[in-house]
Amino acid sequence: MKLLRIGAKGAEKPAILAEDGSIRDLTGIVDDIGGTALSDQGLAKIRATDLNSLPKLDADQRIAPCVANVGKFICIGLNYADHAAETGADIPKEPILFMKATSAIIGPNDDVIIPKNSIKPDWEVELGVIIGTEARYVEEANALDHVAGYCVVNDLSERHFQTERGGQWVKGKSADTFGPIGPWLVTRDEVADPQDLGMWLDVDGHRYQDGSTRTMVFGVAHLVSYVSQFMSLQPGDIITTGTPPGVGMGIKPNPVWLKPGNVMRLGIAGLGEQQQNVKAWSA
């Protein structure tokens, strides 16, 4: 299933993309795309619904973030061997964990705002893993049982804030609008192998990133298990799993940074596409 949320901010409705391409309203079937709706039981309830009986929603409405009320936005750093190489970093011996503020989350096609005092804003197409049932100290062999599905994430970054102003990476990752997610939550039964998904990102029509989840250092099952050793994972939590090469900071000899007027397009095979206009911050 491809689950989404549609409507203006604060007025989003839970929805599903039907096989005929129409968007059907799940209001009354689930409260929202989040929480218990992401459990196996919640997803089974949606799956058992006759979609033809549900009202259609206007496909021209805003596509909202595909998950509501995200509790934790957990990021994995340097998780692609080829991306680590382009940044000059060693391949991590264990996953690098950091957090992204949930206030960064926006819809997949909402505007991205370059924050005040930004010098080096950058892009990162990533596979997002959406937790469906609580995971605590889970084994890798069972880890994917706790996954509701997957989505596209643009893990935007301000590299000057991230690497040159001391402390942890979180302040370079958490600006408002720096976390587009969606367009859909694609349930795990539709993703045969999360370690074999092509992914790409363009800026103004130029392809900068063209990679695959095959080059992840630590795969999805390992990451879910690993994170669960340090904190419980709750329904609606998102783990964004790292990016392939081609980020702006890795371009030699002159890095490329986002600027107002740029248009980003990005996608992952089977998970849909995003497009964001880049705008300047204003008071």
Side-chain angles (χ1 to χ4, degrees):
M1 296 184 294
K2 294 179 173 66
L3 305 177
L4 67 158
R5 301 170 66 246
I6 194 164
K9 188 174 182 179
E12 298 93 340
K13 292 183 176 182
I16 184 169
L17 184 68
E19 288 188 6
D20 64 1
S22 64
I23 298 173
R24 301 288 180 148
D25 189 353
L26 287 173
T27 302
I29 308 300
V30 293
D31 292 335
D32 210 335
I33 307 300
T36 57
L38 300 178
S39 68
D40 289 344
Q41 294 80 7
L43 295 176
K45 182 179 180 182
I46 298 172
R47 196 172 283 113
T49 301
D50 176 12
L51 300 189
N52 293 325
S53 70
L54 301 177
K56 292 183 180 181
L57 292 171
D58 181 359
D60 292 330
Q61 291 187 77
R62 167 184 178 256
I63 299 177
C66 60
V67 183
N69 303 314
V70 175
K72 294 191 286 296
F73 203 166
I74 303 161
C75 304
I76 310 298
L78 300 175
N79 193 37
Y80 283 68
D82 36 10
H83 172 56
E86 77 172 342
T87 65
D90 294 333
I91 295 174
K93 292 181 173 58
E94 293 191 31
I96 296 172
L97 304 186
F98 60 97
M99 307 293 278
K100 194 175 184 86
T102 56
S103 54
I105 293 173
I106 57 171
N109 305 318
D110 291 343
D111 293 338
V112 164
I113 310 300
I114 295 177
K116 185 178 180 180
N117 301 318
S118 172
I119 298 173
K120 300 177 178 180
D122 203 351
W123 58 82
E124 294 187 11
V125 60
E126 303 201 5
L127 173 67
V129 179
I130 300 161
I131 300 300
T133 56
E134 183 180 69
R136 181 183 286 115
Y137 302 117
V138 299
E139 298 295 329
E140 185 170 339
N142 304 319
L144 295 187
D145 294 343
H146 297 270
V147 172
Y150 303 92
C151 70
V152 181
V153 176
N154 191 352
D155 178 22
L156 288 136
S157 310
E158 211 302 334
R159 304 299 188 186
H160 176 66
F161 297 173
Q162 178 186 357
T163 64
E164 299 173 40
R165 296 192 58 181
Q168 298 181 345
W169 290 356
V170 63
K171 63 178 174 280
K173 297 284 188 170
S174 295
D176 292 351
T177 77
F178 268 28
I181 62 171
W184 317 305
L185 181 165
V186 180
T187 52
R188 72 175 189 267
D189 59 298
E190 291 198 7
V191 180
D193 184 359
Q195 304 311 144
D196 190 21
L197 300 174
M199 53 205 308
W200 55 273
L201 182 145
D202 298 347
V203 179
D204 295 342
H206 178 83
R207 180 139 305 178
Y208 285 96
Q209 292 189 275
D210 189 2
S212 170
T213 58
R214 289 190 300 270
T215 67
M216 277 188 187
V217 179
F218 305 104
V220 170
H222 182 86
L223 292 174
V224 172
S225 173
Y226 184 85
V227 175
S228 79
Q229 309 306 309
F230 303 98
M231 66 192 82
S232 64
L233 293 169
Q234 304 298 326
D237 287 351
I238 298 175
I239 303 173
T240 189
T241 55
T243 196
V247 299
M249 71 178 294
I251 297 170
K252 304 295 190 295
N254 300 310
V256 176
W257 309 117
L258 290 168
K259 59 184 184 296
N262 287 153
V263 178
M264 289 179 286
R265 289 186 63 243
L266 58 149
I268 298 177
L271 303 185
E273 298 183 9
Q274 302 182 354
Q275 178 170 308
Q276 297 108 26
N277 295 320
V278 180
K279 295 189 175 181
W281 181 86
S282 61

